[in-house]
Structure formats: structure tokens, C-alpha cells
Amino acid sequence: MHKNLLAVLLASALGTTASAQKATSPAAIKSYSAAGKQVQVYTTAASTQQRLAAGDKLSFQEVGQPLETQPTIFVDPNHTFQTLVGIGGALTDASAETFAKLTKAQQQEFMQAYYSPTKGIGYTLGRTNIASCDFSSDSYAYIADNDKELKTFNVKHDEKYRIPFIKQAIAAAGGKLTMYVSPWSPPAWMKDNNSLVKGGKLKPEFRQSWANHYVKFIKEYERQGIPIWGLTVQNEPMAKQTWESCIFTAEEERDFVKGYLGPTLQKGGLGDRKLIGWDHNRDLMYQRASTLFDDPEASKYYWGLGYHWYETWTGSGMQFDNERRVHETYPTKNLVFTEGCIEKFDFSKVNDWTLGERYGNSMINDFNAGTVAWTDWNILLDETGGPNHVGNFCYAPVIGDTKSGKLIYTNIYYYIGHFSKFIRPGAKRIATASSRDVLQTTAFLNTDGKVAVVVMNNSEKEQAFQLWIKGQAAQATSQPHSIMTMVVN
């Protein structure tokens, strides 16, 4: 009798296990097929007139095992990774002031070029500065000196240029723009060096006042019609700059968030805003991540980690492996590229092809490392690479030449567009691999079912290849110094 009961229980248990295995079997997932689909190719290439130019449609044919002599880009939509939040750029004081100098027709053209998903490149993400930064015409704060209670808080400075500029961008984007905000420095009197610039640290007695300041800023911007999705704790917290800056070690950031900023956001009804740590270069990002996220009390407030690409100032190349280390160690936290631009502006080099190639190289590698959102720096600058109150002039994708009255679209704009126009919020990155190092690639599956495959060739040589998806292949050619987006529909 006991044996029979045991047999029944075993049979029941085995049956339950088998059912569970069957329900979650990969074979039960509908497999993607490219059979019968077409590929629309868009290309931007050096020494041509092609700029996001639509080419002929390609067709898939059944192809078996590729040979080693057949250059191939493999795409596997059955394996998905992170979900894209958005791609965009920073709406700074400098961008807003330059925009104000454009004619009404140029302003409309500019907004359409960036924010229309059909006639432009469809930006969906934005960042802006809390108080002044290097890309402001001057240094400023939102409160009077020694106003610990923030009774004098106001954003009147921003109402002249920046707030109207951001509101136009939101309208141009169809009424929704995922915006996040970053401070460059607390007010000078809150810091131990009594200055907005050249680093310094937040005095302990002002930690609560400074935490309250983030809440004041977010609520005032939202009152003025600019919804704020998230915030970073501090722009470049390990950089002592000639412009607005403030130093936070990893432990100091952790303790400020754990003891002040995190609880203050929650108490202020902003606990659902995405809080992003670090917001500095890839070189030190793992150490920062481990310090912030290994502390459970601090970690609970953090949605993710932001990073920049300026580790190259030390002579290093871009350190994409550090992103991968953070992503594999803390898979529940989100990686965000919060800033990048090319420095040392030279107007005579606005048509230099390497400008866009640096962006393409970074974006492909950043997305493949797990990044969910990618933010360029200033979306618009003038013919000096400014305005900038410390002479730190840089390139932007679009230059508003106020002397000639023309908008100049650098190839940065087109390279970013190969991602932002065709990879939309909600898209999931899918598995992709190239059999040739000359062809860099990443791919996403959009919510409408379209697959977007980006292929970049930085070499001097044309490269024929096949786009291979589960036994179906389409023949294509990558031009020298080009980027192409292949949309499978």
C-alpha cells in the first residue's frame, strides 16, 4: 500500500515536472523566419552624396552553412537582450541660445531634423543641466547665497532660452520626450572651496539642502510643462574642472544617496524617477558600480549607471569591456551613455569623416555591451563650437553658423540617425555576429516586428557580405567608410 502511494506520488511529481518543462521549452517559442521578407537598406558613405539614402530592396534566399570564405553577418532574432529606452542629445543653454539666433524657418527645420521619426532622425531622449555648466554663457545658480531653506529658488534664468527650447523639442517629438537632468555643481556657498568651478566638495551640513534642490528643480520644470523621467547624481564626480564641477568619491556618492537624495526623492513624491549613478567615464565605472550597488540600502534607490566616453584623455582607447563587467555583475541595473562629444572644435574640420565614425564605433559597442539609452552632448552649437564660458569648445552633430546663416549637418548627425531613426524605444537588442572584423554590427527587433541591423565599415575597402538569418541570406555590399542600416520587414 505504501509502495502504491509512493508510486502515485512519484508519477504525479514527474508528470508535473514534465509539464513545467514542456511549458517553458524553447521549442515552444515561435521561431523567427526571414523567408519571403525583404531588406530595405539605408546608407551614409564617405566620398558620396549618400546620407541616410534609401537603396534597392534586397531579398532573402535559402542558404545553408556559410563557408569561411563567405563574409557573413549573422542575426538571430530568437535571442533577445536589453530593451531600448531611447536615443537623443542634450538640450543645454548653449544649444538653446544658438537656436534662438536661427530664423523661424531654420528653427522649424532643425526641430524636424532631430525629432520627426519620418522626416528626421527621431530623437526620443533628452538631457539638460541643473543650473549652469560649461556650455552656458555664464555661471549661475537658482538660489540666493546662504539660503539653506531654498526660499529664493527660481529658474528665471532658464525661462529666457532653455525652457522654451525644450518645450519646442517636446512638441516636435510628438508631445513626449524622455528627459533626465544632471547637476554640474551645487551653489558655491554649499561647497568647501566656495566656488562653482574647480571641483570642491559638498559640505556635510548642506547635504539635505542640496537633496531638496533636486526636488525643487524637477517639480518646477514639471510645473512649466517639462516632465522629468530621471536624474543623475552628479556630472563627472571625479573631475576637477575649470568649469562647474564637484567631487564625490564612490563612498561619498553612496552615502549621499542612501542618507539624503534617495529618501528625499521618495518623500517628495519623486521616488519613481530613474536615479542614475556615476555619470563619468568608462575607466572607473566598475569601481563606482560595485561601491554603489553592493550596499543594499544605497542600491535600492539606483535604477542604473551612467557613463561618458572621455577616458581617452588619458591616452586610453574606449574601454567597452568595463561596461560588460558592470552589466554581467549587476544585470538588474541599467547602463546609460549619458554624454559624449568630440572636443577641440575646429570649424575647418566640420566635414571630417572620422567625426561620425567615432560615434558609430561607440554606439555599436555600447549597445552590444548592454546599454539601454544613448545620449549625445549638445544637439546644437554655433560656428565657434560654443557658446561656452570657459573656452571648452566642442563639435555638435548640427552647427548653427550664425555668420553665414546656415545649418551645417556634420556626418555625426547621420551616423547617430542610423540608430535613432530605425531602432525605436521598446526595441530589444538581438544576437548578432560578424565573420569579418572590418564589419562592426549590432541589431534590434522593434515592437512592430521590423529588424534593424546596423553595419559599419571604417576601412578603405569595399566589403561584400551576406546578411544571414536562420538559413536565409540576402547579399549586400558595405562601401568604404560607410554605415548602413538594413531594415528587415
Side-chain angles (χ1 to χ4, degrees), residues 131-284:
S132 60
C133 67
D134 46 333
F135 279 89
S136 303
S137 290
D138 56 354
S139 294
Y140 62 89
Y142 297 131
I143 50 176
D145 285 356
N146 304 310
D147 177 14
K148 190 175 179 179
E149 303 301 320
L150 311 185
K151 290 178 180 177
T152 58
F153 183 93
N154 70 83
V155 295
K156 283 190 170 58
H157 175 280
D158 302 357
E159 291 171 5
K160 185 175 182 182
Y161 295 116
R162 183 148 53 106
I163 287 173
F165 177 57
I166 295 172
K167 290 175 77 170
Q168 281 197 54
I170 293 170
K176 182 179 183 294
L177 193 60
T178 301
M179 285 291 303
Y180 66 99
V181 297
S182 306
W184 266 243
S185 176
W189 55 268
M190 287 189 185
K191 297 167 66 183
D192 62 7
N193 69 345
N194 200 37
S195 174
L196 289 174
V197 303
K198 297 183 180 177
K201 290 191 175 188
L202 178 68
K203 290 181 179 179
E205 61 264 35
F206 295 123
R207 287 180 295 196
Q208 187 58 58
S209 290
W210 183 229
N212 294 341
H213 190 282
Y214 296 78
V215 173
K216 282 267 192 186
F217 178 84
I218 291 170
K219 288 190 172 180
E220 178 57 23
Y221 260 55
E222 294 196 333
R223 188 188 72 79
Q224 298 215 27
I226 300 172
I228 303 300
W229 165 85
L231 67 156
T232 71
V233 180
Q234 168 64 43
N235 178 74
E236 298 187 348
M238 289 307 297
K240 181 181 177 181
Q241 303 285 24
T242 57
W243 54 85
E244 287 80 349
S245 44
C246 184
I247 303 298
F248 281 83
T249 66
E251 294 77 13
E252 287 165 346
E253 181 187 336
R254 175 197 66 197
D255 295 345
F256 174 61
V257 165
K258 179 168 61 173
Y260 298 90
L261 183 56
T264 301
L265 289 168
Q266 289 201 332
K267 188 178 177 182
L270 302 176
D272 62 341
R273 303 308 191 273
K274 314 303 185 196
L275 184 61
I276 299 164
W278 187 223
D279 199 9
H280 204 167
N281 299 329
R282 300 183 187 99
D283 48 4
L284 303 182

Side-chain angles (χ1 to χ4, degrees), residues 283 311-319:
D283 48 4
E311 66 270 20
T312 52
W313 79 271
T314 64
S316 169
M318 291 188 184
Q319 295 182 288

Side-chain angles (χ1 to χ4, degrees), residues 28 87 399:
I87 298 169
I399 302 295

